[in-house]
Amino acid sequence: MKASVIMSTYNAEAWLEKVIWGFSVQTEKDFEIIIADDGSGPKTKELLDRLRQEIDMPLVHVWQEDNGFQKSQILNKAIMASNSDYLIFTDGDCIPRQDFVATHIKFREPGYFLSGGYFKLPMDISIAIAKDDIVSQRCFDVKWLTGMGLPDKNKLKLSAKGFMASFLNFVTPTKATWNGHNSSGWKTDLVFINGFNQEMQYGGQDRELGERLFNKGLKSKQIRYNAVCVHLDHKRGYVNEETWKKNYAIRKNTRDNKVIKTPVGIDSNE
């Protein structure tokens, strides 16, 4: 397969189903979907068992017991379960536009990882989006979203195409970092750096992985206006200041000491 799409989830079946429908209508079909499930209850498995019969691409469920926010660990398990040499990462609350996978494959290049972004939707529109809106791609149409009550905001992420998208990628002040909702890289690079740092909970664990890829010698490529996804709104009950401070200290050590391989990563699960 040309790629493996790895997406994280935790007890969010309504959002996850919408995301999977987004991947079911991709222009590029030669990929697998791997659900990195950080301890969801049986409803997620039931959903995946049903959708597996309704979509064309392989749908793999990688699950671990609920032990608090352990996204880094389940992502590492998903990396090792993948069957492709190129891995696209997103979250179970980000619906991809139909050219999302094709775009990541188009821009991939040895020695680089790709950095995308998302367009955040308010809760009322997140709830209102239905399967037909995803299959028809209405949920990416600026006029449709405006009609649904989308506040007046910069919508260039949704409307930019071709030269304009490339130009905006070039001039954006946003750095091309590893963003867990929309980034991709070569499996060999991710395994070499030992994957995600499993000491880190919510807050910067994706960026820290990207910083170690930089330390390895990789460069990054900005595709935030090419690889488009819409982010469904949700609460974040797992955010706390103590974790942020701990993660910031780990990231500072990674940068200051040019750490490449995390001591607590993929090989910790063997």
Side-chain angles (χ1 to χ4, degrees):
M1 288 176 289
K2 292 181 182 176
S4 297
V5 173
I6 296 176
M7 69 180 77
S8 59
T9 192
Y10 175 71
N11 286 331
E13 294 81 21
W15 275 195
L16 181 62
E17 180 169 4
K18 296 181 186 192
V19 174
I20 292 175
W21 283 124
F23 280 104
S24 76
V25 294
Q26 291 292 297
T27 56
E28 173 59 63
K29 303 293 186 184
D30 189 16
F31 67 95
E32 65 179 348
I33 300 171
I34 300 180
I35 307 300
D37 186 347
D38 189 18
S40 297
K43 289 184 178 179
T44 294
K45 181 180 184 301
E46 292 168 7
L47 169 69
L48 298 178
D49 287 343
R50 172 171 63 81
L51 290 178
R52 199 173 282 118
Q53 309 303 316
E54 301 178 26
I55 66 174
D56 295 330
M57 55 284 301
L59 181 57
V60 180
H61 187 199
V62 179
W63 180 89
Q64 66 187 13
E65 290 187 8
D66 189 351
N67 186 29
F69 189 94
Q70 300 295 337
K71 180 180 177 182
S72 294
Q73 184 180 52
I74 195 63
L75 287 176
N76 284 340
K77 292 177 180 178
I79 289 171
M80 298 313 295
S82 63
N83 296 293
S84 171
D85 61 357
Y86 197 74
L87 309 182
I88 301 170
F89 288 78
T90 187
D91 286 327
D93 53 18
C94 292
I95 303 173
R97 197 170 66 187
Q98 63 183 3
D99 60 347
F100 184 88
V101 173
T103 298
H104 275 273
I105 291 174
K106 174 183 177 181
F107 287 99
R108 66 183 179 178
E109 183 179 347
Y112 287 81
F113 70 83
L114 303 181
S115 173
Y118 61 60
F119 186 89
K120 190 170 184 178
L121 298 178
M123 182 63 79
D124 57 342
I125 299 179
S126 300
I127 294 171
I129 289 176
K131 175 183 175 182
D132 187 56
D133 301 319
I134 299 166
V135 173
S136 68
Q137 297 289 283
R138 276 193 299 269
C139 62
F140 299 97
D141 182 83
V142 171
K143 289 183 179 179
W144 185 82
L145 288 168
T146 301
M148 292 292 289
L150 183 69
D152 186 22
K153 58 190 292 190
N154 187 343
K155 303 180 179 71
L156 281 174
K157 274 189 190 173
L158 295 176
S159 59
K161 299 282 181 67
F163 171 79
M164 180 55 70
S166 298
F167 175 74
L168 291 170
N169 285 328
F170 179 73
V171 300
T172 180
T174 303
K175 294 182 179 179
T177 54
W178 185 280
N179 304 317
H181 51 266
N182 188 350
S183 285
S184 62
W186 299 96
K187 183 174 180 177
T188 52
D189 290 327
L190 294 168
V191 172
F192 185 90
I193 67 169
N194 207 18
F196 291 85
N197 186 326
Q198 294 178 187
E199 289 185 298
M200 301 179 73
Q201 280 73 49
Y202 181 82
Q205 74 272 31
D206 302 316
R207 298 289 179 86
E208 195 271 344
L209 176 132
E211 287 158 356
R212 283 185 285 112
L213 288 173
F214 286 136
N215 292 342
K216 182 181 182 293
L218 269 69
K219 298 179 181 179
S220 59
K221 196 182 298 186
Q222 184 71 269
I223 59 167
R224 63 190 284 108
Y225 289 93
N226 301 99
V228 175
C229 60
V230 290
H231 183 277
L232 304 172
D233 198 13
H234 59 85
K235 296 179 180 179
R236 292 172 173 80
Y238 39 75
V239 178
N240 68 77
E241 186 176 351
E242 183 180 348
T243 298
W244 272 105
K245 289 180 179 178
K246 171 188 171 184
N247 289 358
Y248 181 80
I250 291 173
R251 288 185 62 191
K252 185 176 187 302
N253 177 68
T254 295
R255 293 190 299 268
D256 291 350
N257 295 296
K258 302 298 181 183
V259 176
I260 296 174
K261 296 185 179 183
T262 176
V264 186
I266 288 172
D267 60 13
S268 300
N269 303 320
E270 297 175 353

